[in-house]
Amino acid sequence: MRLVAATILVLAAPRLLSAQERGAVALGEAVAGLDVTGRVLMIGAHPDDEDTQLLTWLARGKNVETAYLSLTRGDGGQNLIGNELGPLLGMIRTEELLAARRLDGGRQFFTRAYDFGFSKTAEETYTHWAKDSILRDVVTVVRAFRPQIIVAVFSGTPRDGHGHHQVSGLLAREAFDAAADTVRFPRTATGGLGAWSAAKFYRAQRFNPAEATLSFNVGELSPFRGMTYAEIASESRSQHLSQGFGALQRRGTSLDYVKLEASHVSPPIVPEKSMFETLGMGWGRFDNAVLPADARAALNALPDAVAAVRRVENLAEPAPMVAPLARVVGLLARVRAGLTCPRDGVASGCFGVEGDLALALETVERRAQRALLSAAGVQVEATAPRELLAVRDTLPVTVTVYNLGKSDVVLEGASVWMQNVYGRPPAGTPTTIVPDSAGRMTLPLVSEWASVPWWLENGFQKGTDMFNPPTSGLTAHNTVIGEDRVANTHVRTALRIAGVSFVYDDGPVVYRVADPARGELRRPVASVPAISLTFEDEVEYARVGTALDREYALHVTSAASTPRGVTIDLSLPKGLTADSVVRHVALEPFGSATVVFKVKGLLPAGRHFLGVAAKSNGETFMAGWKPITYAHIRPLRYYQMATVQIEAVDAQLPRNPQIAYIKGVSDNVAAMLHQLGIKVTMLSPDLLATADLSRYGAVVVGPRAFAATPQLVASARRLVDYARNGGTVVVQYGQQEMQTPGILPYPITLARVAERVTDEKAPVTFLDPHARVLGFPNRITQKDFDGWVQERATYMPTTADPHYQRLFEMHDPGEPPNQNAVLVAPIGKGAYVYNTLALFRQLPAGVPGGARIFLNLLAATGETTATEMPQP
């Protein structure tokens, strides 16, 4: 179930179209790929599912254009580096994938599927994703990328575990045939893209080598990078920091495996010596392409031209390579001129062998141009004086061409633009750039729209966990050109090197900033609304019958280059009043201000909204953005409506509402408890051993905190002693580490694949409705399990010591009962609670029942008598 309303927008930093790798590495790899025209598409379910070793071996080792299609962006996962969940986590994991691809050399695609959380079966997954829609997405990517080989990461069977994994394996196999079926999927259903028949279909067998039909050594050494492909893959995989995938790099022989499952070439060869047996991967594949005479002559001349480059190849002294590389660039341009389809990244309008040729030309043209620039010592960059550009504002961009080589270079023109993949052709007065100098052009960059990611452009498809397809002219092709080529800013330069003119696409435009600790940082330019409005929180709790008296701080930020006057109107739900509902703010260029509204009143039970709208220069603004910054990815901006959802809950507090809270992973619970009236003191794990806990009614340990903080494991006995002396300990879920003796007061066991209840609507049975924990300070009923999000419980114990009291029984359909979602152990004068209910998701989402249950867990010591408890 979605955690965030479809009205919320997310803004991701633009992708660097390839931070121009320079020198011998870039030159050597590019030249090695001048006669490789094949493509391989790998299909999985999430970021980090890909077989990174296979992908790296293909892309870096065999120079094959290799792409990974992830059905989702990993929105429903967990986050080991911060508190972002849901679409925010999807932003982070998208960027982590793109960072990984920049290392392993692959391309990146996504479908419109939203990761709604763990699923146990393909059937359950299809209740969230419309099968025909997601299959159409996969078929569209296949038709756009036109791979000779498709590799499914998963088997499509229950052994894959996760339902998303199973679906990816099933859809990959189905798309292998369906992409060629224009009756089932006519061109109109896939953006005008015609049928494509991949030659071979494999399944990755890295964890099941006994069934493999082919193995290969990914421990081979890259002659250009001085690392094995397995080492490069480890570095790539380590970009998934939010999932804790940092790994040691492996040297030496390392085998990977695939299984040939289907083939459209006759006869298929099993066992094989290569994935490319029976497939031509060079220019000879296009001997039968129908081309104009000049294009055919140029294509026929390419093998000899590439051989001429290699005869003079010298990566340390590359100047002799410039002329033959320029000839290759010219020949590729002549061949491409013989094709009628547009240069739109997917060769729409070219079908069959001509479409295949168009994409091969695009790939090798990029390689040849990159090689030519490297050999000629030419570097192109586009810089701006600031990072953010207000909508309808203009930013001067300086395009600089550095000539660090030995011959003259001509800058014939340049252009810059935002969002749309189709930009203006380069223009300007030609400038000759002599060696050891630079040529510059300053161009205006104009923004008409904020840099909103395409997948959230139209919200969610009704009744599903899938994003609606983009419909604007700016983003309609983003689903098929590849996420690695989607950018907020684009740069195009017309260059002449060694007498050959060509147009080089680059980007993005960057703002250079010096960080005292990290040196130069290059931050991609993005477009934002002129006025941004943000509250601190999107969701809050209030208690029914308790006067609300809060200050709401509204942050108002201007991205405009001129002064702005802003009028702010506050809207309030019935029952609340403010000191003023209209405010006026004067902002300097790029200025900011904080406006504080003092709000008081009472709210009835239910959901209420407090929001603002601002007017400035005839425009109305109702949203804003917050930055998400991590060192391993580019800057992100999370957009949200300037609205606070207030969930008024009929809830009572424990008698001692003071608690100590030890923060866990992806943990946003403490702030929600504070809004309910709990007095929260954040306690560092380092201080647990010595802190005075006697004044607290409870000590709470956040999700997965024992795995994240070894100091907490060392002090676990202190928690047991605190409970024995009359306190309440509430430990939220952990994983396998919770079986370690000494962490919990009594032992539990977890299955290797821990049990969980992924259906947020799964029935809940109360094992003892009169249990003290269910009666004070709030009477917990079935209603408290209404409206839950994503899941009921996660990483539930399979068995637990008899000392624990069980409160609930729950299970997913077709699975055995589990009574261990909440375990309460009376210890001395107090109680120790181990909770695997997904309250870490329910409280930040404002679920009323989640709040009431958590408050009762805080009072588990039994500080009241049965006569004081609310009656059912």
Side-chain angles (χ1 to χ4, degrees):
M1 188 171 181
R2 294 188 293 274
L3 298 183
V4 180
T7 54
I8 291 177
L9 302 178
V10 182
L11 185 68
R15 186 225 179 244
L16 288 165
L17 286 185
S18 85
Q20 192 181 346
E21 287 190 300
R22 305 181 178 99
V25 171
L27 178 56
E29 288 186 337
V31 170
L34 292 179
D35 51 6
V36 181
T37 65
R39 294 176 296 279
V40 174
L41 178 65
M42 184 180 294
I43 301 176
H46 309 104
D48 72 38
D49 283 346
E50 70 270 31
D51 185 340
T52 315
Q53 292 189 340
L54 172 58
L55 195 154
T56 306
W57 182 77
L58 289 168
R60 295 293 186 195
K62 301 303 177 184
N63 305 297
V64 175
E65 182 86 332
T66 308
Y68 175 50
L69 169 59
S70 177
L71 299 188
T72 77
R73 297 171 186 270
D75 327 71
Q78 298 173 24
N79 183 1
L80 296 182
I81 60 174
N83 295 336
E84 298 88 0
L85 294 173
L88 289 84
L89 180 59
M91 293 167 58
I92 292 171
R93 298 189 70 183
T94 294
E95 272 296 312
E96 289 179 336
L97 260 188
L98 294 176
R101 295 296 81 84
R102 288 192 288 272
L103 292 171
D104 58 39
R107 302 281 315 283
Q108 185 60 53
F109 293 88
F110 294 96
T111 74
R112 295 173 296 118
Y114 177 77
D115 181 354
F116 57 86
F118 188 82
S119 171
K120 295 179 178 177
T121 66
E123 292 74 20
E124 180 191 1
T125 299
Y126 281 136
T127 65
H128 293 263
W129 299 342
K131 180 184 176 183
D132 288 347
S133 295
I134 194 169
L135 176 60
R136 183 171 67 246
D137 283 4
V138 176
V139 167
T140 301
V141 171
V142 171
R143 289 181 176 181
F145 188 64
R146 298 176 177 88
Q148 282 68 51
I149 295 171
I150 294 176
V151 180
V153 175
F154 296 104
S155 69
T157 67
R159 81 179 185 193
D160 295 329
H162 202 315
H164 299 182
H165 294 169
Q166 297 177 48
V167 165
S168 75
L170 293 168
L171 292 177
R173 179 63 183 88
E174 195 166 353
F176 176 67
D177 293 322
D181 188 345
T182 55
V183 174
R184 185 177 183 187
F185 291 101
R187 286 171 48 193
T188 54
T190 56
L193 298 168
W196 178 254
S197 180
K200 294 183 179 182
F201 180 84
Y202 290 87
R203 292 197 189 273
Q205 299 293 323
R206 53 182 167 164
F207 300 124
N208 193 29
E211 295 187 10
T213 59
L214 181 66
S215 65
F216 34 84
N217 180 19
V218 297
E220 296 172 349
L221 186 70
S222 164
F224 305 113
R225 295 180 177 260
M227 302 171 68
T228 69
Y229 300 112
E231 286 180 288
I232 299 170
S234 293
E235 188 177 357
S236 167
R237 195 157 183 78
S238 294
Q239 301 307 301
H240 299 290
L241 295 186
S242 69
Q243 306 305 298
F245 275 17
L248 294 174
Q249 296 179 8
R250 296 178 57 186
R251 291 191 179 95
T253 299
S254 180
L255 297 181
D256 206 344
Y257 305 87
V258 293
K259 174 184 178 181
L260 178 63
E261 186 171 297
S263 176
H264 289 150
V265 294
S266 181
I269 300 175
V270 180
E272 302 173 296
K273 295 181 180 179
S274 166
M275 295 176 73
F276 311 110
E277 283 185 18
T278 71
L279 305 179
M281 299 300 281
W283 293 111
R285 293 200 302 118
F286 306 108
D287 287 345
N288 296 325
V290 178
L291 295 169
D294 184 64
R296 169 50 62 189
L299 183 58
N300 291 343
L302 269 175
D304 287 343
V306 171
V309 172
R310 290 175 178 157
R311 281 195 296 271
V312 296
E313 185 171 356
N314 184 334
L315 303 184
E317 294 288 341
M321 301 173 65
V322 172
L325 278 169
R327 172 168 164 73
V328 171
V329 169
L331 289 173
L332 290 167
R334 285 170 54 192
V335 181
R336 187 60 178 85
L339 300 175
T340 59
C341 47
R343 288 177 173 266
D344 58 3
V346 295
S348 57
C350 279
F351 308 106
V353 67
E354 285 77 17
D356 186 3
L357 174 58
L359 291 191
L361 287 167
E362 177 191 310
T363 297
V364 177
E365 195 171 48
R366 286 173 181 266
R367 293 171 179 170
Q369 290 180 357
R370 192 179 306 125
L372 178 56
L373 292 178
S374 294
V378 174
Q379 297 175 7
V380 180
E381 72 173 10
T383 58
R386 62 179 186 273
E387 180 181 359
L388 301 180
L389 172 61
V391 173
R392 299 185 184 87
D393 212 339
T394 301
L395 186 66
V397 172
T398 301
V399 178
T400 305
V401 177
Y402 297 94
N403 183 0
L404 307 176
K406 298 181 178 181
S407 301
D408 291 354
V409 173
V410 179
L411 172 58
E412 297 182 328
S415 60
V416 296
W417 70 97
M418 295 205 73
Q419 282 111 1
N420 197 340
V421 293
Y422 311 110
R424 294 183 298 275
T429 303
T431 302
T432 298
I433 309 170
V434 300
D436 296 321
S437 67
R440 292 179 175 84
M441 289 186 175
T442 300
L443 305 169
L445 182 65
V446 181
S447 168
E448 296 295 335
W449 297 273
S451 304
V452 176
W454 65 266
W455 67 91
L456 287 172
E457 182 178 289
N458 293 322
F460 286 95
Q461 191 171 305
K462 186 176 181 180
T464 72
D465 280 304
M466 294 187 64
F467 300 110
N468 275 313
T471 53
S472 77
L474 293 177
T475 57
H477 281 307
N478 285 1
T479 54
V480 292
I481 65 173
E483 195 72 28
D484 56 305
R485 292 184 180 170
V486 174
N488 287 332
T489 57
H490 302 261
V491 182
R492 183 170 287 165
T493 52
L495 301 170
R496 186 164 73 245
I497 300 177
V500 174
S501 296
F502 62 96
V503 174
Y504 181 64
D505 284 337
D506 197 13
V509 178
V510 298
Y511 169 59
R512 299 173 63 193
V513 60
D515 182 282
R518 298 170 58 194
E520 179 176 329
L521 302 180
R522 296 189 167 211
R523 301 174 71 91
V525 169
S527 178
V528 297
I531 302 298
S532 170
L533 309 168
T534 56
F535 285 109
E536 291 296 330
D537 300 310
E538 292 182 83
V539 179
E540 291 187 354
Y541 280 123
R543 285 194 297 130
V544 173
T546 300
L548 185 144
D549 186 354
R550 293 179 185 171
E551 292 185 346
Y552 288 89
L554 177 72
H555 303 290
V556 187
T557 304
S558 172
S561 57
T562 58
R564 299 291 288 258
V566 183
T567 299
I568 303 164
D569 289 292
L570 174 69
S571 61
L572 293 167
K574 186 177 181 180
L576 297 184
T577 61
D579 53 349
S580 173
V581 295
V582 178
R583 300 289 178 87
H584 302 281
V585 178
L587 298 176
E588 295 298 317
F590 318 118
S592 63
T594 299
V595 177
V596 177
F597 295 96
K598 296 181 179 180
V599 177
K600 297 182 178 181
L602 290 169
L603 289 173
R607 182 166 297 176
H608 311 273
F609 293 92
L610 174 153
V612 296
K615 293 184 178 180
S616 178
N617 285 20
E619 297 179 86
T620 300
F621 303 90
M622 302 179 68
W625 57 269
K626 293 181 179 179
I628 300 175
T629 305
Y630 291 102
H632 68 300
I633 58 175
R634 293 165 302 185
L636 304 172
R637 294 169 189 87
Y638 169 60
Y639 265 62
Q640 62 189 48
M641 300 301 294
T643 302
V644 180
Q645 173 189 316
I646 305 174
E647 196 73 37
V649 183
D650 187 1
Q652 304 301 315
L653 302 182
R655 289 191 177 169
N656 183 354
Q658 296 189 76
I659 70 167
Y661 197 104
I662 301 171
K663 187 176 177 64
V665 173
S666 304
D667 190 355
N668 297 302
V669 169
M672 307 306 291
L673 292 174
H674 174 73
Q675 292 160 12
L676 289 165
I678 297 295
K679 299 175 182 177
V680 181
T681 299
M682 301 305 295
L683 182 64
S684 169
D686 297 335
L687 300 178
L688 176 61
T690 58
D692 179 9
L693 305 179
S694 61
R695 64 190 177 95
Y696 300 116
V699 175
V700 180
V701 178
R704 298 179 66 182
F706 282 101
T709 51
Q711 307 96 317
L712 188 58
V713 177
S715 301
R717 196 69 202 170
R718 180 79 197 284
L719 294 173
V720 176
D721 292 341
Y722 166 75
R724 183 171 286 110
N725 290 328
T728 297
V729 175
V730 179
V731 174
Q732 298 175 74
Y733 89 97
Q735 296 183 344
Q736 300 296 328
E737 73 278 0
M738 303 309 295
Q739 300 176 101
T740 304
I743 289 184
L744 295 177
Y746 303 109
I748 62 170
T749 65
L750 281 79
R752 186 180 64 84
V753 178
E755 297 179 44
R756 56 204 301 174
V757 180
T758 61
D759 182 353
E760 67 272 19
K761 298 179 182 178
V764 176
T765 300
F766 286 54
L767 298 176
D768 181 4
H770 297 281
R772 189 168 53 200
V773 179
L774 299 180
F776 185 85
N778 304 289
R779 169 55 62 185
I780 304 304
T781 69
Q782 289 288 347
K783 186 178 179 181
D784 290 301
F785 288 94
D786 291 346
W788 280 41
V789 298
Q790 189 159 325
E791 57 192 343
R792 286 282 196 222
T794 189
Y795 295 95
M796 303 163 68
T798 299
T799 66
D801 188 276
H803 286 89
Y804 289 109
Q805 177 188 14
R806 281 79 168 164
L807 300 181
F808 308 110
E809 186 282 313
M810 59 188 70
H811 60 275
D812 278 327
E815 297 198 346
N818 187 306
Q819 299 184 355
N820 300 317
V822 180
L823 301 172
V824 181
I827 298 180
K829 300 177 182 178
Y832 196 114
V833 180
Y834 183 57
N835 166 66
T836 65
L837 291 177
L839 299 180
F840 74 101
R841 296 195 189 276
Q842 311 315 315
L843 268 71
V847 175
R852 287 164 47 84
I853 292 171
F854 209 115
L855 292 174
N856 276 35
L857 296 182
L858 297 178
T861 53
E863 56 188 40
T864 185
T865 65
T867 57
E868 294 177 289
M869 294 196 311
Q871 296 304 304

